Amino acid sequence: MLKADVEVDRREFTVRADLEVRPGERLALFGPSGAGKTTLLEAIAGLVRPRRALITLAGRVLTATEPPRAAVPPWRRRVGLLRQDPGLFPHLSVRANLGYGPAADRSGAELSQLAGVLGIGDLLAAMPARLSGGQAHRVALGRLLLAHCDALLLDEPYAGLDASLRRVLTTLVRELVTARQVPSVLVAHELAEAQAFADRLAVLDRGEILQAGAPDEVVRRPATRRVAELVGYRGFVPAADRSARGSRSGAAAGLVAGIHPDRIEAGARPRRGLVLTGAVLAVRPAGAGWEAELQVADETVTCRLAERPTPAGRELVVTALDPPWFGPDGTAAVRPPQGEQVGA
């Protein structure tokens, strides 16, 4: 079990986090640049000095700022940290880089087997200068795994790699974390990468964990409007104004619905969510489908649809599937009754 109750002062804010990662669990830290994700990993790895902290791993105290104080140096923590820069030793061969860790099997079957899994089995005699970026990342990952650390910290390790290689490496790490039953933490700026890796997702902003939970639940049910913005909601539509038919109910006053581009269906489906009607501002291809921008009331809403929608300037009716609702204070609120329509 990895436990980290940490406060680290930065110039703009203080990073505060209280994490527990079980053996075999995969936690992803997701949030904007500068939110404090890397600072948190560095505190666990012993690379930054916290203002206050109690960090333990498998029952060992790594950092304690209260008596009895402790500050285990990074090289004795048995914590593996992999960054964007592979950090290979340029004067050592791939084989020597892989076997650099004190617990690594430098010449045995494990090294050969892992090199084969990583697709670098025929590069063991090569020097780092002769490797591609993707090959260097695989060697760095292999070195980390062969070190048999008690925890894995991954700080955007696949940045700059193509999507197919990222998927392969993510799957490999997931399988090894499960097989070895070590706690692991991934820092990610891309939500899809975080969700592909993690069985628990924590959203950070300005040093604070705003919400943590199952990766799908955090996205489908954000606790606040700020979390919704960070996980991809790109429009917040107010509850329909019923003044022409009577005053708006107190429950709906001030409520806004978060609209996620991927949670949209063409046509009116009042039983499934919020029906939106608006003028099409723009239409463009998006992968195998289409993306449209709608003007709904005073909001611009982005929709991703399977079929090409009506051209710009025309009216389009879509349904936001079971959207989350937020009150005036930005916290999650009870949704209005089904059948609510906006812009109709």
Side-chain angles (χ1 to χ4, degrees), residues 132-196:
S132 68
Q135 291 169 338
H137 276 80
R138 296 187 202 197
V139 175
L141 177 59
R143 180 176 61 185
L144 180 68
L145 297 173
L146 285 168
H148 289 275
C149 299
D150 292 337
L152 297 181
L153 308 179
L154 309 172
D155 189 3
E156 292 194 283
Y158 313 135
L161 301 184
D162 62 80
S164 61
L165 181 55
R166 287 201 303 269
R167 286 193 295 270
V168 170
L169 295 180
T170 297
T171 300
L172 173 64
V173 174
R174 283 172 54 101
E175 293 173 349
L176 288 173
V177 165
T178 301
R180 296 183 178 183
Q181 287 295 289
V182 296
S184 58
V185 184
L186 170 76
V187 161
H189 283 111
E190 298 295 330
L191 181 62
E193 182 179 348
Q195 289 181 303

Side-chain angles (χ1 to χ4, degrees), residues 95-110:
R95 179 185 293 277
N97 266 282
L98 287 171
Y100 186 81
D105 178 7
R106 292 170 173 78
S107 59
E110 185 184 21

Side-chain angles (χ1 to χ4, degrees), residues 200-225:
R200 190 156 58 94
L201 177 71
V203 179
L204 272 74
D205 190 33
R206 293 188 60 80
E208 300 285 347
I209 296 180
L210 303 184
Q211 186 176 353
D216 59 331
E217 285 300 312
V218 172
V219 177
R220 296 280 295 274
R221 288 288 172 259
T224 65
R225 176 166 172 164

Side-chain angles (χ1 to χ4, degrees), residues 296-310:
V296 180
D298 295 328
E299 289 289 321
T300 300
V301 173
T302 302
C303 313
R304 295 195 184 105
L305 303 169
E307 303 295 334
R308 183 168 189 165
T310 186

